[in-house]
Amino acid sequence: MTEPAITPELVAKHNLTPEEYAHAVEILGRTPSYTELGIFSVMWSEHCSYKNTKPLLKTFPTKSPKILVGAGEENAGIIDIGDGIAIAFKIESHNHPSAVEPFQGATTGVGGIVRDIFTMGARPVCAVNSLRFGPITSDVGDDVRSLKSNSESQSLVTSAPTNKDEDAQLKNNRRLFAGVVSGIAHYGNCFGIPTVAGEVYFDKTYQGNPLVNAFCLGVLRHEQITRGAAKGVGNPVFYVGPATGRDGLAGAAFASQDLTEESTEQQRGAVQVGDPFMEKLVCEACLELLATGCVAGMQDMGAAGLTCSTCEMAARAGTGIEIELDKVPQRAPNMSSYEIMLSESQERMLIVVHKGREEEVKRIFDKWDLPWSEIGIITDTGHMKVRQGGKLVVDIPARKIADESPVYQREAVEPAYLKDVRAFRLDGISDTQNPAEDLKKLLAWPSIASKNWVYRQYDHQVRDGSVVLPGSDAAVIRIKTDSLPVMSAELAAKVGDPTVSEKLIAMTVDCNGGYVYLDPYEGAKIAVAEACRNLACSGALPLGATDNLNMPSPLKPELFWQIKESVRGLAEGCKAFNAPVTGGNCSLYNQSPAGPIDPTPTISVVGLIEKPEHVTTQWFKDEGDAIILLGDAVDQADPIFSLGGSAYLQVIHGKKNGSPPRCDLEVAKTLHTTLIGLIQSGLVKSAHDCSEGGLAVALAESCISQLIARDTPRLIGATIDLSSVGQASSRADGQTNDGSSVASPHRLDALLFGETQSRVVISCKALDAVKVVERAKLMGVPAVQIGKVGGDKLTAKTANGEFSTPLAELHDAWWNSIARVMD
């Protein structure tokens, strides 16, 4: 095949700047071949190189005595959980592919993150996901605002589509939502891994650019950690897995450019096709192979395919690698070196084997009926060399391409729209007139409503390790003996008794992109604090975090400012909660012709629960139990009483505006420490954090969120008295004429639906209520008993009156909202 001439136009099509191309020529000392140009394109894409975010990522806390494999070292981070056992976990995005082909984009997102885990030597034991889509209902006012960007200015604008346009958009959003959920369910269920937790948000900012973030966690012994390094000069290199096809060509480069209608159609071939049954075979074969001790290094062929695995493994080991493409199994005839090297066909692994042990590899992969081929050898040249048909088609220094990509210090300028955000006040925003109806509307809002329509499609109990299923603040899984990979004979002799003491791992994923849009620094801190608060409500202490920076273009100073401030907030939050970042993913250029997404720095935090009796769930347990609020009912120092960016303003008043609630990390940390202490002392029967929708939604969810069978809820009511709790002034400045901070009449919406941070609703035995309140106050946490459990209604008394709603109505609005739209 004749390769095209390397022209400036061809270079531009590969998303390389003239300066980057000149640097590539300097590295090679010559004009690159067409295949080499493609390699530079994918390896220097943002998806693979983080060239725009590396300086920011260095600010994350990444050290801890428990960290065995840290951020950036390998395909996933690994943390010690005691008794010689460790967990490997990571989160990654598949946003652009899911926008083009939602089912396949989501399936291959799950498959890719699962491979990142077992390539470390760990057995995957559970999955989590974080999803964002455009609205699937039209019941939120059109004044909900989003950031629009063009070359001249950035401002808050109002989207007002015609009814016909809106119907088409809603239909497409539902199609994307259904396709992604179906893809996640298909891959996880077929592979046999429980999907135990997640989150789903709906907002106009994600219309045309959905976010699909996939998390996986695996388990292994310390001695089973596998490195992705091409060690041992003379060692053979094996390709294992299905044949390489033309699917997924240059997918990493596609993920590093703006998403437009033209690029979507052109890049449909950049979306990979997944086969979960094949991945299950590859996983089991690789874990069995690792137990033989014949593996010197292993890495999956994920983003950038064969290109990334070869050069990265050589770069980590400081070696060279040579491969012969004629030996690579190929699904299509007459594939060029460009196509083979850049293909992202799924379920493929690259394995470096100790010389002389090749027959063990062949025996194991034949046993599992897997395609394999010995395609290369490790050298001492430091170069990645690729041959096809006896011709050298690639010769690039491995470290230059893998580790020394261009790094940019982008300009950051605060966006002008934030001036309006900070100036927003509640003048002209009427207080709630019918809190019971407003509560039902909030519970039915898809971003708050039960996500059972989603998780009922997932098998969340396979492998029998799930302790707390989807539907509570955090998922909890049990790590037991059969969770671990098979041991080598040498390790088995060393370990002796293979049984292990069971461990309880909690995990959650969080981010309110609206908060981050309105204040990137504060919003990112809130994401970390809420994730850690969810763990505390489950009885867990944080071990570590993994993040997914879903961001717009770094090339516009106003948008890069959002990225920079978000990272600053994440870093401070992780430091405060001693949750070091073990790795993650940067997904930039998330924007469509309609504009950029809200910056969405998704954070997943993993924690450890010491004893089974400390596992705590969010729903109320028994009639007569006392209900206690930990934390301030209303932030009186906030001029808009934590209604900025709230679900209440969006759903009831159609406005996404105002500074989000303030997040004091010291206050949050004190709350978490106190809550964990109360749980460990046996005083807490339920715990649920207050987040979107505020106190009223948290109380309602505590009444209606328990399932006693697949479709059978257990509804248990509550009688609440807030008449003397957290009254907020109706004045915009929060002051009365005499300067005090409380005035009458009070803003009932701030009390019920404000989203003041660092609050948790707990329940305990009535006899323990005084003790719980006193202990909390001694620790410096505001605490007050606000009611008791019982009945078939949620009844709340306030200074403005009383309202009461049957639980059956609340549950119906919350449980069936998404299903009514999607089914």
Side-chain angles (χ1 to χ4, degrees):
M1 297 176 65
T2 303
E3 292 191 346
I6 308 299
T7 64
E9 292 76 19
L10 187 64
V11 171
K13 284 184 178 179
H14 282 76
N15 291 322
L16 289 172
T17 66
E19 294 77 17
E20 289 171 343
Y21 176 70
H23 184 38
V25 171
E26 181 183 6
I27 289 172
L28 297 175
R30 55 177 170 78
T31 299
S33 68
Y34 180 53
T35 303
E36 288 171 333
L37 180 67
I39 288 173
F40 276 105
S41 172
V42 294
M43 291 306 298
W44 286 1
S45 68
E46 180 65 33
H47 191 80
C48 290
S49 73
Y50 301 156
K51 60 188 177 186
N52 292 293
T53 50
K54 268 184 181 178
L56 302 180
L57 301 180
K58 290 179 180 178
T59 66
F60 281 144
T62 58
K63 304 296 181 183
S64 162
K66 293 183 180 296
I67 290 183
L68 304 178
V69 176
E73 293 182 32
E74 295 287 348
N75 294 282
I78 297 182
I79 289 184
D80 173 33
I81 60 171
D83 299 327
I85 308 302
I87 52 175
F89 59 88
K90 188 182 181 184
I91 190 169
E92 280 205 345
S93 64
H94 234 220
N95 301 336
H96 282 29
S98 299
V100 177
E101 294 284 355
F103 180 85
Q104 292 297 349
T107 62
T108 50
V110 175
I113 197 64
V114 168
R115 286 195 303 279
D116 278 341
I117 299 306
F118 72 73
T119 195
M120 299 299 301
R123 175 173 292 284
V125 294
C126 69
V128 172
N129 55 73
S130 172
L131 312 175
R132 303 286 191 284
F133 303 93
I136 57 173
T137 62
S138 58
D139 55 358
V140 177
D142 281 334
D143 193 39
V144 173
R145 299 176 176 188
S146 60
L147 176 66
K148 303 297 179 182
S149 172
N150 57 45
S151 59
E152 296 178 359
S153 65
Q154 292 189 343
S155 61
L156 285 167
V157 301
T158 300
S159 175
T162 65
N163 289 337
K164 184 177 180 181
D165 288 342
E166 184 178 32
D167 288 344
Q169 289 170 346
L170 292 173
K171 184 176 180 181
N172 188 55
N173 294 339
R174 293 170 191 150
R175 178 186 69 85
L176 292 171
F177 178 35
V180 165
V181 171
S182 179
I184 291 171
H186 170 73
Y187 209 97
N189 295 353
C190 293
F191 181 86
I193 185 171
T195 302
V196 294
E199 60 170 0
V200 189
Y201 282 80
F202 303 90
D203 192 281
K204 286 185 179 179
T205 189
Y206 304 110
Q207 200 155 262
N209 198 134
L211 303 183
V212 177
N213 294 175
F215 166 101
C216 185
L217 181 142
V219 186
L220 73 170
R221 291 178 171 84
H222 293 190
E223 297 86 352
Q224 293 176 308
I225 295 174
T226 302
R227 298 284 183 169
K231 294 181 179 179
V233 174
N235 281 339
V237 177
F238 277 78
Y239 171 116
V240 178
T244 296
R246 292 191 172 99
D247 53 322
L249 278 177
F254 170 49
S256 304
Q257 56 184 282
D258 292 353
L259 192 60
T260 65
E261 288 185 14
E262 182 181 10
S263 71
T264 296
E265 192 56 40
Q266 289 176 345
Q267 297 293 344
R268 201 166 294 277
V271 180
Q272 311 92 331
V273 177
D275 182 346
F277 298 107
M278 175 64 75
E279 178 128 320
K280 178 64 173 177
L281 297 177
V282 172
C283 175
E284 296 300 334
C286 286
L287 292 179
E288 182 177 335
L289 182 65
L290 289 170
T292 67
C294 70
V295 175
M298 182 168 69
Q299 181 161 319
D300 76 302
M301 299 183 210
L306 189 54
T307 288
C308 190
S309 54
T310 50
C311 67
E312 283 189 350
M313 290 183 74
R316 288 194 190 106
T319 59
I321 186 168
E322 289 192 17
I323 60 172
E324 175 55 65
L325 296 185
D326 292 342
K327 296 181 179 180
V328 172
Q330 297 165 43
R331 195 166 65 239
N334 303 317
M335 289 187 69
S336 67
S337 58
Y338 182 99
E339 293 171 327
I340 297 171
M341 291 301 295
L342 272 61
S343 168
E344 293 184 8
S345 294
Q346 297 291 286
E347 291 89 35
R348 302 176 301 158
M349 305 291 289
L350 196 69
I351 302 175
V352 179
V353 177
H354 291 297
K355 189 173 178 60
R357 305 191 66 177
E358 294 87 344
E359 291 306 313
E360 293 173 79
V361 178
K362 298 173 185 178
R363 174 183 59 80
I364 288 173
F365 287 119
D366 284 343
K367 168 191 169 182
W368 289 95
D369 197 22
L370 286 171
W372 60 265
S373 178
E374 186 176 338
I375 66 168
I377 192 170
I378 304 304
T379 68
D380 61 0
T381 64
H383 281 233
M384 175 178 71
K385 294 186 178 183
V386 179
R387 300 180 188 276
Q388 185 179 35
K391 179 183 176 183
L392 184 65
V393 293
V394 173
D395 186 357
I396 305 176
R399 278 189 171 164
K400 292 288 184 182
I401 189 70
D403 298 338
E404 299 181 26
S405 65
V407 176
Y408 298 105
Q409 299 281 350
R410 297 296 184 188
E411 181 185 5
V413 176
E414 182 177 292
Y417 76 87
L418 288 175
K419 182 179 179 181
D420 293 332
V421 168
R422 293 167 184 150
F424 177 82
R425 292 296 181 266
L426 299 176
D427 300 332
I429 304 293
S430 60
D431 200 349
T432 178
Q433 302 302 309
N434 192 334
E437 286 303 309
D438 287 348
L439 175 58
K440 280 191 276 189
K441 288 179 182 178
L442 283 167
L443 289 171
W445 191 40
S447 289
I448 288 179
S450 168
K451 305 306 184 296
N452 72 85
W453 183 88
V454 175
Y455 64 72
R456 286 174 67 185
Q457 298 183 51
Y458 304 155
D459 188 334
H460 40 262
Q461 292 179 285
V462 63
R463 296 190 58 81
D464 195 31
S466 305
V467 176
V468 177
L469 304 177
S472 194
D473 282 334
V476 179
I477 64 165
R478 179 175 59 250
I479 305 301
K480 50 196 193 316
T481 301
D482 69 357
S483 302
L484 294 158
V486 62
M487 290 186 288
S488 66
E490 181 182 358
L491 180 56
K494 178 181 177 182
V495 169
D497 184 0
T499 59
V500 298
S501 300
E502 290 190 351
K503 306 286 184 182
L504 293 166
I505 301 296
M507 67 207 75
T508 187
V509 60
D510 279 291
C511 182
N512 184 324
Y515 281 172
V516 183
Y517 161 66
L518 296 168
D519 188 330
Y521 169 68
E522 210 69 27
K525 284 198 302 180
I526 288 172
V528 180
E530 183 178 347
C532 293
R533 190 163 65 247
N534 286 337
L535 292 187
C537 286
S538 73
L541 286 169
L543 289 171
T546 176
D547 71 285
N548 207 131
L549 299 181
N550 304 280
M551 298 291 177
S553 171
L555 305 181
K556 294 182 173 66
E558 294 86 354
L559 298 180
F560 188 72
W561 185 87
Q562 294 179 335
I563 301 172
K564 187 175 181 180
E565 286 296 287
S566 297
V567 170
R568 184 165 72 96
L570 287 184
E572 289 192 15
C574 290
K575 288 175 186 174
F577 296 109
N578 193 26
V581 176
T582 63
N585 175 239
C586 292
S587 174
L588 307 189
Y589 302 96
N590 286 290
Q591 52 198 65
S592 67
I597 66 163
D598 284 348
T600 309
T602 303
I603 188 83
S604 181
V605 185
V606 176
L608 182 67
I609 301 176
E610 289 188 1
K611 298 179 180 179
E613 56 266 32
H614 297 164
V615 175
T616 308
T617 50
Q618 71 181 37
W619 38 84
F620 294 144
K621 300 300 185 293
D622 299 301
E623 299 261 350
D625 285 347
I627 301 170
I628 295 169
L629 175 65
L630 300 180
D632 289 319
V634 177
D635 183 355
Q636 300 283 1
D638 183 344
I640 53 176
F641 308 116
S642 301
L643 285 170
S646 65
Y648 171 77
L649 277 189
Q650 294 185 59
V651 174
I652 306 303
H653 295 283
K655 295 184 181 296
K656 187 162 97 179
N657 209 342
S659 296
R662 300 179 306 161
C663 180
D664 186 319
L665 294 173
E666 286 303 314
V667 170
K669 190 174 181 180
T670 301
L671 170 69
H672 299 182
T673 302
T674 301
L675 177 57
I676 289 291
L678 291 170
I679 288 174
Q680 291 180 345
S681 67
L683 293 171
V684 175
K685 298 178 77 170
S686 74
H688 185 26
D689 84 309
C690 297
S691 54
E692 286 88 357
L695 178 59
V697 166
L699 288 167
E701 289 175 338
S702 298
C703 293
I704 63 178
S705 58
Q706 184 181 9
L707 280 181
I708 55 177
R710 177 178 171 85
D711 295 308
T712 307
R714 175 178 180 264
L715 308 181
I716 183 167
T719 302
I720 307 297
D721 187 350
L722 301 172
S723 58
S724 59
V725 175
Q727 302 304 326
S729 165
S730 62
R731 284 181 43 156
D733 60 4
Q735 299 294 315
T736 63
N737 292 332
D738 63 3
S740 64
S741 60
V742 178
S744 183
H746 307 295
R747 283 207 72 107
L748 184 57
D749 53 7
L751 174 62
L752 294 176
F753 308 120
E755 296 175 6
T756 297
Q757 294 297 293
S758 300
R759 298 181 301 165
V760 173
V761 172
I762 65 172
S763 65
C764 65
K765 293 179 181 177
L767 292 175
D768 291 334
V770 172
K771 184 190 300 183
V772 169
V773 169
E774 288 179 348
R775 286 194 182 184
K777 289 181 176 179
L778 283 173
M779 293 294 291
V781 175
V784 60
Q785 182 175 345
I786 60 172
K788 65 178 181 179
V789 176
D792 59 359
K793 297 179 180 180
L794 174 60
T795 301
K797 179 182 179 183
T798 71
N800 302 62
E802 181 176 299
F803 68 91
S804 184
T805 308
L807 295 184
E809 292 183 15
L810 296 178
H811 182 266
D812 179 66
W814 176 76
W815 182 261
N816 295 312
S817 173
I818 293 177
R820 286 191 175 112
V821 176
M822 299 302 297
D823 289 343

